[in-house]
Amino acid sequence: NGDVNVGEEVEYTITGIEPGAGISQATNKALEEYDNLEGWTHEESSTAAMLTELGEALDNEEEIIVAAWNPHYMFAKYDIKYIDDPKGVYGGEEYITTIARKGLKEDMPEAYEILDNFFWEVDDMESIMLAAQEKDFEEAAQDWVDENQETVDSWSEGVDSVDGQDIELALTPWDSERASAHVAKIALESKGFNVTLTPVDPQIVFQAVSAGDADASLAPWMPQTHRDFYEKYEGEYEDLGKNLEGAKIGLGVPTYMDIDSIEDLEP
Ligand code: PBE
């Protein structure tokens, strides 16, 4: 990367997001595991603040290193790329899985069946995330359901309706999970459930579902992003399997930056 010291230009700082995020944990680990990142700072704040800083850096063609992930519109909206992570701190391909409290299958077999069947594609989730830039998630999710009724129907094929049973879904406070939770809500409501959505930090998702305070969640990113929490509570909840494949987390930079790997960042 020529004679430009990227570290100096970004003030040896990685621009992160909320401290409770799995990706924030991974970035803290990266600072420990990459010797060349000794002395670097991980600046945690919020997703909104990170995106604002990213947008400003791109407007000014400045250097920036951010916590990046997809599904998200950041790769469509901004000209950014992932940099390599040879130590695999951020994992490889991630999937999103559905977990349920023990006993849900017996107590609410209809809801369990719908949640178990919930599976969609990256494009589906991203289309709601994009639409939700202009309207609320409820409306964006409803529009997607209207256009994809067959998919939604396939999740509840043969499932009986119930008469106003209450069910609570825990989610994490990111757009990807707002999208899946709102679609699950609509699917469950169409079979007679009263659905409450409760946004909490990733660790609390596992804690709440394990304790039976929440019935289920479509929010866990695996095998790396939320692995610590997944393993901490393993055996206290049920994993119903993937609801989406093809996710990823890592460090992102503007494509004009001449850097390809975390290992190439200067101490
Ligand atoms: N994310 C989006 C979350 C999960 C969903 C990658 C920012 C996280 O890091 O925990």
Side-chain angles (χ1 to χ4, degrees):
N1 52 333
D3 50 14
V4 189
N5 183 334
V6 172
E8 203 175 306
E9 293 195 356
V10 300
E11 292 171 355
Y12 303 99
T13 298
I14 293 166
T15 304
I17 60 165
E18 290 81 357
I23 196 171
S24 299
Q25 244 188 351
T27 299
N28 290 335
K29 271 184 213 152
L31 291 195
E32 283 169 27
E33 291 199 16
Y34 285 93
D35 292 341
N36 57 308
L37 292 183
E38 208 192 314
W40 279 61
T41 303
H42 174 208
E43 189 185 87
E44 294 172 324
S45 59
S46 68
T47 299
M50 180 278 285
L51 292 170
T52 301
E53 284 192 47
L54 177 60
E56 284 172 4
L58 281 150
D59 284 346
N60 300 314
E61 273 201 51
E62 284 167 7
E63 325 274 288
I64 188 168
I65 305 174
V66 298
W69 66 92
N70 63 285
H72 195 277
Y73 57 82
M74 68 177 92
F75 284 88
K77 183 167 175 184
Y78 305 111
D79 224 344
I80 58 171
K81 62 181 179 186
Y82 283 113
I83 55 174
D84 291 343
D85 165 28
K87 289 187 190 282
V89 174
Y90 294 91
E93 188 181 311
E94 295 283 283
Y95 58 87
I96 310 180
T97 198
T98 302
I99 60 171
R101 69 169 169 85
K102 291 204 160 174
L104 185 73
K105 190 175 186 172
E106 292 72 37
D107 299 345
M108 298 187 201
E110 300 85 1
Y112 182 94
E113 179 78 17
I114 294 168
L115 292 166
D116 196 18
N117 289 334
F118 189 120
F119 183 86
W120 63 348
E121 307 291 334
V122 165
D123 284 350
D124 298 317
M125 179 182 261
E126 280 187 339
S127 75
I128 295 179
M129 295 169 79
L130 195 67
Q133 296 294 294
E134 319 266 301
K135 51 183 93 160
D136 54 35
F137 269 93
E138 208 172 309
E139 211 183 322
Q142 187 61 59
D143 290 348
W144 181 87
V145 169
D146 292 344
E147 282 161 28
N148 295 273
Q149 196 63 58
E150 275 179 32
T151 304
V152 178
D153 287 348
S154 74
W155 301 335
S156 50
E157 215 180 285
V159 174
D160 291 335
S161 289
V162 300
D163 191 13
Q165 272 182 35
D166 293 327
I167 182 165
E168 181 172 342
L169 301 180
L171 64 145
T172 54
W174 291 283
D175 287 358
S176 36
E177 283 56 56
R178 292 185 183 109
S180 54
H182 277 91
V183 169
K185 181 174 193 271
I186 294 167
L188 289 163
E189 281 173 349
S190 75
K191 288 292 174 182
F193 287 92
N194 295 323
V195 184
T196 309
L197 301 183
T198 308
V200 289
D201 276 355
Q203 170 152 21
I204 309 299
V205 164
F206 284 94
Q207 198 183 84
V209 173
S210 298
D213 294 337
D215 292 296
S217 178
L218 296 96
W221 283 41
M222 288 297 289
Q224 186 72 10
T225 312
H226 297 146
R227 184 171 65 190
D228 286 355
F229 311 135
Y230 188 96
E231 286 178 352
K232 181 171 176 195
Y233 293 96
E234 203 157 16
E236 300 176 44
Y237 57 84
E238 197 184 333
D239 187 345
L240 311 193
K242 298 174 183 179
N243 60 61
L244 180 138
E245 287 169 334
K248 184 171 167 56
I249 65 170
L251 292 181
V253 300
T255 49
Y256 52 71
M257 278 178 69
D258 193 12
I259 186 104
D260 297 313
S261 170
I262 299 176
E263 243 166 28
D264 296 339
L265 295 165
E266 304 87 346

